[in-house]
Structures are given as C-alpha cells and as structure tokens.
Amino acid sequence: MIHFEDVSKTYSTADGPVHALSGVNMDVGQREFIAVRGPSGCGKSTLLMLAGGLGTATSGRVSVAGEDLTAAGPAALARFRAKRIGFVFQMFHLLPYLTVLDNVAAASTGEQSTARARAAELLEKFHLTDRLRHRPAELSAGERQRVAMARALINGPTLILADEPTGNLDPGSATIVLDLLADFHREGGTVLLVTHEEQAAAYAGRTILLRQGTIEGDATASSKQEEPERA
Ligand code: ADP
C-alpha cells in the first residue's frame, strides 16, 4: 500500500537545510495498522505528509496504492488524496464557519445532495446526529475529532493517515476515536498512525520507530490480537 524507497526530505530554512528524513525504506501492506513513533522532531509528520502526497520527497521514490507520488504533479496529487486518503490531525482542522454537516459534506468529491446524505449517515454512526447544525466551536474536542473522522471517511478512502489524533483528547474520547480507526481497519482499511501515546500505539499491529530521520526499529506486535479489548 505504501512503498518508500530511499526517501529523503530536506527542508531549506533561513538557518540552513534541515534533514527531516534520510534514506528511509518502508513497506506498508494493505490492511495493516501501523504506529509511527519516536521523539519530537524525528520526522514522523514529514513521513506521514509524504505518504499522503501533501509534500514531495527531496530524493527517493514514494508510491502509494500503486501510484508513484514522486512523478505526480499537483493536480494529480490532489485527485489522489481526495480519492484514496483520509487525513486526521491533532488540531482537527475543521472549518470554523461551516456547520458540522457541511464540514463533512464539503470534503466529498461526489454530488452534493448525495454527499450530505452520506455525511449525515456517518455523523449518525458517530453519535453526532444532534450536532449537525452546530459549528465546531460549539463541540467538545472529542466530538470535533469524530467530525474529522467522518470527514476522513466521506470519500471511502483505502488509507487513513492520522497525525496524533488523540493528542488533544481525554482518555475516554481518545478510546472512541481509536475504536473508529480500528473499525475502519477491520473493514479492510490501512491505517498509519503517528503517536506519542502508548494507548494509541497498542491498537497497531506493527510499530515503526523513527530517530533523527531514519528508521531505528520496526516491530510487529507479538500477540495475534491486533487491538486491545474494548472497555
Ligand atoms: P515529528 O513529527 O517527529 O515531530 P517533523 O516531521 O514535524 O517531526 O519534523 C522533522 C524535522 O523537520 C524537525 O527538525 C522540524 O523542525 C523540521 N521541519 C518540519 N517541517 C518543516 C518545515 N515546513 N520547514 C522547515 N523545517 C521543518
């Protein structure tokens, strides 16, 4: 599903180049649930952005779902992201002036009337039916992240890229969001989850450990059970 071949990413800054990733080789299979861990600044978000076509590698090759992202132009990358990928971020990134329903429906690449029905269906599944007309500011952090999950799923992605999705949530809300990721995985989706948190990493079947832009560890969970028992 995700194939990194000798991938490096260097940012140019006023203080000189910053080597965020150096010579990363990584293969993520279809239907894997992977946690990416490592200290702050080790390149986790950069890796996730490259996997999602939100940035381009300085060198090496990135291919995702059979598409060579290193060869794709901006328009092709945008199409690829919309069709294939659901993003979930720590800060939610909901549009403040849109209602919950519109935040989800607006992300759809399909026809708007169908999109609104599909958005309402997802939001109902995530227990947000009585919030459809609310603005994000009126919701709790946990509710906002459930809206972001609905938005991530609106186009039926094959891959969810989640960057610290539970970083701003209380443990109860975190469990709900992680269970939604686990549901997506159980239904056949691939998940790449950047996290600092033990609770979140425990949902993954495999953990990649980054350090200073290189892969330092790659471990498959020893137990066959791919997610913890639900509380
Ligand atoms: P992590 O997610 O593990 O905290 P990042 O991928 O965000 O790590 O960052 C890796 C390194 O790249 C850090 O040193 C960070 O400061 C730098 N970096 C990230 N994004 C940019 C950017 N847009 N411009 C310049 N440097 C950046």
Side-chain angles (χ1 to χ4, degrees):
M1 170 61 70
I2 306 176
H3 181 68
F4 275 44
E5 204 177 302
D6 201 18
V7 171
S8 296
K9 174 72 179 180
T10 301
Y11 295 105
S12 309
T13 74
D15 297 325
V18 175
H19 303 292
L21 292 177
S22 310
V24 168
N25 290 295
M26 177 181 82
D27 271 302
V28 175
Q30 225 160 3
R31 307 197 61 161
E32 278 201 87
F33 191 138
I34 297 222
V36 179
R37 307 186 74 186
S40 189
C42 70
K44 302 182 296 296
S45 297
T46 300
L47 181 135
L48 184 130
M49 295 298 174
L50 293 185
L54 280 173
T56 48
T58 308
S59 63
R61 206 166 74 88
V62 176
S63 66
V64 178
E67 297 211 29
D68 184 350
L69 302 191
T70 12
L77 281 180
R79 269 197 307 277
F80 163 81
R81 284 196 300 268
K83 194 169 74 172
R84 291 292 195 164
I85 307 214
F87 290 96
V88 187
F89 298 100
Q90 178 171 6
M91 302 301 285
F92 323 120
H93 295 317
L94 300 174
L95 297 171
Y97 48 87
L98 291 185
T99 64
V100 161
L101 182 66
D102 288 340
N103 260 283
V104 179
S108 170
T109 53
E111 210 257 301
Q112 267 305 297
S113 59
T114 330
R116 290 175 74 78
R118 169 79 182 135
E121 195 181 298
L122 280 167
L123 289 162
E124 182 180 356
K125 194 171 151 201
F126 298 171
H127 306 293
L128 290 163
T129 305
D130 55 349
R131 300 288 193 197
L132 298 188
R133 270 170 267 288
H134 290 226
R135 315 263 163 202
E138 298 168 308
L139 306 184
S140 72
E143 289 168 337
R144 286 182 216 182
Q145 200 59 304
R146 269 144 58 203
V147 176
M149 275 295 299
R151 179 187 56 189
L153 294 172
I154 188 82
N155 294 318
T158 47
L159 171 64
I160 287 191
L161 298 173
D163 197 348
E164 299 279 9
T166 57
N168 278 325
L169 306 185
D170 62 84
S173 300
T175 301
I176 293 171
V177 166
L178 291 167
D179 283 345
L180 293 178
L181 286 174
D183 288 344
F184 169 77
H185 175 234
R186 195 174 310 105
E187 287 159 15
T190 307
V191 179
L192 193 89
L193 167 69
V194 166
T195 186
H196 274 101
E197 293 162 16
E198 211 58 61
Q199 181 204 8
Y203 278 70
R206 180 177 157 204
T207 297
I208 287 178
L209 187 63
L210 277 182
R211 195 173 195 89
Q212 292 186 342
T214 60
I215 292 184
E216 191 183 67
D218 188 343
T220 303
S222 50
S223 141
K224 285 211 178 75
Q225 190 185 344
E226 293 213 337
E227 62 185 271
E229 288 291 326
R230 288 171 185 229

